[in-house]
Amino acid sequence: MRKSEAKAKRKAPTDGAAQVEQDEDRYFSRAVSKALEVLEILKRSPKPQALHQLAPQVALTKSSLFRILHTLETSGYVEKSAEGRYVMSVDRQALIPTSMLSRLLRVATPHLRELTREFGESTALGVLFENHIETMAVVESPQVIRMGNTVGRILQPHASSSGKSITAFQTEERREHLLRSYGILRMTPQTIIDEQALVEEFRSIRERGYSVDDEETTAGGLCFGCAVSISEDEVLAAISMSMPKARAGAAETHQRLIEGVVRTARAISAEWSG
């Protein structure tokens, strides 16, 4: 077979236009995509699923699927019964359907990379789950001294910038549920723990359109966040940009950083709904 024919064969679509798009996307992770497929199946299924039942649904061998299921189980996303059947953990159910979450990650990640490239600071995407807010994507700052983040980190709904950006736009009932599930804990001397002060903080975030974590989760850290609109009446995600406070400059220079975060969140929202 000639090299050109081999290359064409590798690029030939095996599952329609979506597969071609995935093959041409160098940032696309097939393992992550399959894991999201598994979560979507378990979320829809009225009964726990065995390994042999799941394998044909996601077009994987049992050995490959077992590695994915083991990772999801270890991370707390799925639970396995004594009979070896899998079910999705209740507290890990995202309010965004898994298929939509996969697309959100693909839309948001290039924008986060560009924001990090522009300002040289760490960026992240937070997503609302049933009873918590969780980091789902991270682009680390290239600088040696930076504010770190990790995928899977549970975000404080009352203190972190992404957490506050999401919580501020929820109904009173859901907002209360998030705060009670995590706890209104003092992380640093700057953490807002007074409930009336939190009500005012959330009101201010809704009015100005962005949030600030000024040493509220980590001493010496500064983070700006902005909600990502998934639909006209729902905020189920937010982005953030974090940095050492000493590198951010004086308060009057923060506006450029804030504008970058807000611009990026709007771009993600526009591409998502476009």
Side-chain angles (χ1 to χ4, degrees), residues 8-23 30:
K9 184 175 181 180
R10 288 197 300 271
K11 287 189 174 182
T14 58
D15 189 24
Q19 183 65 44
V20 173
E21 180 183 352
Q22 293 173 6
D23 291 343
R30 185 171 181 271

Side-chain angles (χ1 to χ4, degrees), residues 39 43 72-79 87-96 98 101 127-136 151-154:
L39 292 177
K43 185 176 181 180
L72 291 173
E73 181 186 5
T74 303
S75 302
Y77 285 88
V78 304
E79 297 173 2
V87 64
M88 190 169 181
S89 300
V90 174
D91 66 342
R92 290 289 188 170
Q93 292 185 7
L95 297 181
I96 303 175
T98 308
L101 179 57
V127 173
L128 177 63
F129 283 67
E130 182 63 35
N131 68 348
H132 69 278
I133 298 165
E134 184 171 331
T135 300
M136 293 300 291
V151 173
R153 177 189 175 196
I154 306 302

Side-chain angles (χ1 to χ4, degrees), residues 62-80:
K62 290 181 182 179
S63 60
S64 296
L65 176 58
F66 178 78
R67 288 194 292 272
I68 289 175
L69 286 167
H70 178 73
T71 302
L72 291 173
E73 181 186 5
T74 303
S75 302
Y77 285 88
V78 304
E79 297 173 2
K80 184 169 68 171

